Amino acid sequence: MGAHRATEHDGDDVTETAHDDETRRNPGAPDLAADTAVAATAGERTRSMAAPGTERPPLPGMEDTTNRGVDRGVIIGQGLAALARWSVRGIVVVLALAGFLYLLGRVWVGVFPLVLALLVTTVLWPPTAWLRRHGVPAALSAIIVLLGSLAVFAGVIAAIAPSLVDQSGEVASAASGGLTELQDRLGAPPFNVDSTTVDEMVSQAQDWLRARSGDIASGVFTGVSVVGNALVTLALVLVLVFFFLKDGPNFLPFVRRVSGRTAGRHLTEVSVRSWNTLSGFIRTQAIVSAVDAVLIGTGLVVMQVPLAFALAVLTFFGGFVPIIGAVTAGALAVLVALVSQGLTTALVVLAIVLAVQQLEGNVLQPLLQGRSMQLHAGVILLAVAAGSTLFGIVGAFLAVPVIATVAVVMRYISEQVDLRTGDLHADEVPVATKDGEISARQGELAARDYVDQPDATTLAEELTAARQAQDEGRRGRSGVGSRLARTVRSAREAWREDEGRAGTGASS
């Protein structure tokens, strides 16, 4: 036989046979070598004419950059249509959120005591439940726990008050001495600020205060009104806490009865999960705040800083306002140390506060709050910033519980979606109630309804379809060189069949 050389053109194998050997062996055979050479030359010409990234030559008279496939306008139009649909949906969601915030602002006077009562109830419910399990009536359990918590709070205030009365004068005199020392330092080099300039600044400040005495007086009356509203809010919160402790277990059956069977199951599961998340947040935040208060308070006592106990208690309560509360309490502790003990003590207190906050942020919060809320620190920071911007210090205090509840709802919705897509099974979903288990199994059964939809394909089906399309495209390419190569291959196979039949007839 003659020498054979194999080449590859556009994924198809084309076998070239030496022209001289084949012609010498069988003069009557088709000139396959010439046809193969023509196919190879056409294929090279095709590749040279094709635009980058394509396999098809441009039409005669058109440049290589001409759009030869599906019209680009069709693709762009479909993309813009999808963008428009999602934009309208986004606008609707934003408008609904804006309307909700507007209505919330209008009824905030009534909503705020309700939210505070729920948070307080999460703290007081464990001892109440313990008393009820030991046979104490519901109303009596609520009264005992509520009065006991008020007694503890009053005891803390009573313990702080003497130190505030005794040491506030010391802090005030130290602050006055600090201001005098600051004035002396400003008059010395390198500042060289004379006493006349300082007196003029003090005089200007006094004139500014006199000019705004009316505003200050109105502000005082406003403050009195705020105090009155705070007392009314406190009384309302205490009443709501009592009823929540007494009748709280009857809430979920009422919700199921009103909303219906299916919606009631979802609401029950989400409510229990939200309650567990809020309870975990309050408990873990109390532990973190207590550790901060003990460590910072110990440091203040060692450094003999006045009002150490009061500052420790303030640190404890400030810890319930994430980030902002800890920074404010720490800054106040450093300021008291500065005006009472001097710069060196203030620097030591600052180092203690920073060390404790690093321990809180890197060890305690990730270990405790990460398990209870599963929220990233960036999400918490944004929530606190948004809450303080919209509702002030109250919004900063309530931001983390609210965002934690929203996260619970979003996770539950995501679980229900995953159950219907088949990515989750009911046994893999951590449920909090029996209703949640039933809802999970119903979601898994509902996945069958989505499989039959024409545009509902699984990832495995999409990969299989993509491989099939790739194989069909590889087998059925429409390039000129590929068509010529297939023609040559078909002719060679036909010639071999004819030659085989002729040989069979001669032997017979």
Side-chain angles (χ1 to χ4, degrees), residues 172-192:
S173 62
S176 177
L179 291 176
T180 303
E181 182 181 357
L182 178 60
Q183 182 177 355
D184 296 337
R185 288 181 179 275
L186 290 176
F191 303 103
N192 297 322

Side-chain angles (χ1 to χ4, degrees), residues 108 112 115-116 119 281 285 317-326 328 379-403:
W108 181 247
F112 179 59
V115 175
L116 281 183
L119 292 178
F281 164 72
Q285 191 60 46
F317 287 106
F320 287 91
V321 181
I323 301 173
I324 296 177
T328 303
V379 176
I380 295 177
L381 180 60
L382 292 176
V384 172
S388 60
T389 302
L390 294 175
F391 301 103
I393 190 64
V394 175
F397 171 71
L398 297 177
V400 177
V402 170
I403 197 65

Side-chain angles (χ1 to χ4, degrees), residues 5-72:
R5 180 166 54 90
T7 62
E8 186 177 275
H9 176 69
D10 288 343
D12 297 313
D13 294 334
V14 180
T15 304
E16 292 186 1
T17 307
H19 174 67
D20 296 337
D21 293 342
E22 189 64 32
T23 303
R24 186 167 49 252
R25 188 181 64 83
N26 191 356
D31 194 353
L32 296 178
D35 293 341
T36 304
V38 171
T41 303
E44 293 294 335
R45 185 182 301 110
T46 299
R47 284 192 293 270
S48 64
M49 296 172 60
T54 63
E55 298 178 355
R56 297 173 181 168
L59 298 176
M62 290 189 177
E63 299 178 357
D64 293 346
T65 57
T66 302
N67 178 203
R68 297 181 300 277
V70 178
D71 188 359
R72 290 172 56 87

Side-chain angles (χ1 to χ4, degrees), residues 266 412 415-416 419-420 424-427 429 431 434-446:
H266 293 300
Y412 182 77
E415 288 177 1
Q416 293 296 317
L419 287 170
R420 285 159 176 77
L424 270 181
H425 298 287
D427 297 334
V429 177
V431 297
K434 186 66 177 178
D435 290 328
E437 180 180 355
I438 296 174
S439 298
R441 298 196 178 279
Q442 288 179 341
E444 185 176 4
L445 293 175

Side-chain angles (χ1 to χ4, degrees), residues 159-445:
I160 296 176
S163 62
L164 288 176
V165 174
D166 295 338
Q167 298 178 353
S168 59
E170 179 183 350
V171 173
S173 62
S176 177
L179 291 176
T180 303
E181 182 181 357
L182 178 60
Q183 182 177 355
D184 296 337
R185 288 181 179 275
L186 290 176
F191 303 103
N192 297 322
V193 179
D194 55 359
S195 58
T196 304
T197 305
V198 177
D199 293 338
E200 290 179 356
M201 295 174 60
V202 173
S203 177
Q204 291 177 1
Q206 292 176 350
D207 294 339
W208 183 85
L209 290 175
R210 293 192 192 96
R212 287 161 177 78
S213 57
D215 297 336
I216 295 174
S218 63
V220 170
F221 288 111
T222 302
V224 172
S225 176
V226 169
V227 171
N229 292 333
L231 293 176
V232 173
T233 301
L234 178 61
L236 182 58
V237 167
L238 293 177
V239 173
L240 290 175
V241 168
F242 169 75
F243 285 114
F244 287 163
L245 293 176
K246 174 178 175 293
D247 301 323
N250 298 326
F251 174 74
L252 291 180
F254 171 77
V255 170
R256 287 194 295 268
R257 185 169 57 253
V258 172
S259 59
R261 193 167 52 247
T262 302
R265 288 168 181 161
H266 293 300
L267 292 175
T268 299
E269 178 69 13
V270 171
S271 299
V272 173
R273 290 192 189 187
S274 301
W275 177 266
N276 293 336
T277 300
L278 290 177
S279 302
F281 164 72
I282 296 297
R283 287 194 298 268
T284 55
Q285 191 60 46
I287 295 174
V288 172
S289 299
V291 172
D292 290 350
V294 170
L295 294 179
I296 293 178
T298 303
L300 295 176
V301 171
V302 171
M303 298 305 298
Q304 297 181 352
V305 177
L307 304 176
F309 183 69
L311 291 173
V313 174
L314 181 62
T315 301
F316 173 77
F317 287 106
F320 287 91
V321 181
I323 301 173
I324 296 177
V327 172
T328 303
L332 184 58
V334 173
L335 180 62
V336 172
L338 177 63
V339 299
S340 61
Q341 300 292 335
L343 181 60
T344 303
T345 303
L347 292 177
V348 174
V349 172
L350 177 61
I352 294 174
V353 171
L354 292 178
V356 172
Q357 289 183 355
Q358 289 298 317
L359 175 65
E360 172 192 348
N362 297 321
V363 178
L364 295 179
Q365 283 188 347
L367 183 63
L368 298 177
Q369 288 187 353
R371 296 177 180 177
S372 61
M373 294 190 303
Q374 299 179 356
L375 291 177
H376 192 271
V379 176
I380 295 177
L381 180 60
L382 292 176
V384 172
S388 60
T389 302
L390 294 175
F391 301 103
I393 190 64
V394 175
F397 171 71
L398 297 177
V400 177
V402 170
I403 197 65
T405 304
V406 173
V408 169
V409 177
M410 296 302 295
R411 291 192 192 104
Y412 182 77
I413 294 175
S414 178
E415 288 177 1
Q416 293 296 317
V417 173
D418 289 338
L419 287 170
R420 285 159 176 77
T421 61
D423 294 327
L424 270 181
H425 298 287
D427 297 334
E428 300 173 351
V429 177
V431 297
T433 62
K434 186 66 177 178
D435 290 328
E437 180 180 355
I438 296 174
S439 298
R441 298 196 178 279
Q442 288 179 341
E444 185 176 4
L445 293 175

